[in-house]
Amino acid sequence: MANASKKERSERAEMPPPPYVWISWAVLFLYIVVAIEGAIVFYNYPWLTAISIENYSAGPVAFASVQSGQIHLCGVYLIETLLALGPGWCAMSPGWTQFELFVHHVPYVAAVALAFFGGHAERWTAPMTMVLLTPLNEGMFIAQSLGAPDWIAKLRRAFGFAAICLLWFCETWTFLRNLIVHYHIGWSAVPSLLADAVSLGGIYYHLLLLRLYVRRWMKTRSL
């Protein structure tokens, strides 16, 4: 069974960890910093605005905090992407192919750039705040690679499933809420509607991740 698993990983061409362990520690440190920042942003976010249709603006202070967190998270994603596309290293190794990391990181960075530079971010601050919880998941992934005890893997999967569930519900509601807002505005909201449609890729991707979590649990009956 172990040989079959190794063969499958080899066929998937999973990336190796950086040969210099300090690189993995550095990436882990960055994820921890962003995770702490994300927890603070999450705690201070005015969540009642997230369920409001008429008053969904989180305010300038919350918006600035979310923007700052997203810049830092995207910065870490870009560093990991460069490590993957350049020397072909992955601090979250084993488990990630170059293509999988690219699909996870690059479209998200592009979507965040579209949101902020296109003037659409105000409608999406709630899901962006939820996303700022997920660096802890990546951080625990790297900790496993650096030799953390097995219970960290179980904690990571439990936390990852809970965080992605919350994120999926939040981003799905936000998309539907925005549809209602655009409908009331009329034809002039079509560009904003098209921009919001980009989020459907992320909603679908997170649904696939939840499906993988459930399938693994049904197969192993354990975290």
Side-chain angles (χ1 to χ4, degrees):
M1 191 72 177
N3 290 335
S5 177
K6 289 181 179 179
K7 181 179 180 182
E8 181 182 349
R9 285 184 174 179
S10 177
E11 290 175 351
R12 290 182 62 247
E14 293 181 359
M15 291 181 289
Y20 310 104
V21 70
W22 66 266
I23 296 178
S24 294
W25 279 105
V27 178
L28 173 58
F29 174 77
L30 292 175
Y31 270 125
I32 291 174
V33 170
V34 178
I36 293 172
E37 180 182 20
I40 295 172
V41 174
F42 182 89
Y43 178 80
N44 292 321
Y45 189 83
W47 287 105
L48 288 179
T49 64
I51 60 175
S52 174
I53 294 178
E54 296 180 353
N55 185 28
Y56 57 81
S57 175
V61 175
F63 182 87
S65 298
V66 173
Q67 184 179 41
S68 175
Q70 287 297 323
I71 290 173
H72 298 152
L73 177 59
C74 289
V76 181
Y77 279 0
L78 288 175
I79 290 172
E80 282 208 298
T81 301
L82 291 175
L83 287 174
L85 295 180
W89 303 334
C90 180
M92 294 186 289
S93 177
W96 291 75
T97 66
Q98 191 178 72
F99 176 75
E100 289 166 349
L101 187 135
F102 184 88
V103 168
H104 184 272
H105 287 4
V106 176
Y108 182 79
V109 173
V112 170
L114 172 64
F116 282 106
F117 288 108
H120 308 290
E122 186 65 62
R123 301 190 301 275
W124 289 93
T125 53
M128 287 182 181
T129 300
M130 286 285 185
V131 169
L132 290 177
L133 295 178
T134 62
L136 181 59
N137 184 60
E138 281 94 345
M140 286 190 283
F141 216 128
I142 298 173
Q144 289 177 243
S145 177
L146 291 170
D150 291 341
W151 63 265
I152 289 292
K154 294 183 178 181
L155 177 62
R156 180 186 65 79
R157 286 189 286 268
F159 173 81
F161 180 76
I164 295 173
C165 273
L166 288 174
L167 173 58
W168 186 84
F169 281 111
C170 182
E171 62 190 354
T172 300
W173 159 249
T174 300
F175 177 77
L176 294 175
R177 189 272 313 278
N178 290 345
L179 282 182
I180 297 173
V181 172
H182 298 327
Y183 173 79
H184 287 296
I185 293 175
W187 286 104
S188 62
V190 169
S192 296
L193 172 63
L194 294 176
D196 286 350
V198 172
S199 68
L200 292 174
I203 292 172
Y204 177 67
Y205 179 78
H206 293 139
L207 190 61
L208 291 180
L209 289 181
L210 291 175
R211 180 170 173 263
L212 288 176
Y213 275 108
V214 172
R215 288 180 63 184
R216 183 190 183 281
W217 182 84
M218 292 181 66
K219 183 178 180 181
T220 65
R221 296 293 176 178
S222 69
L223 290 174

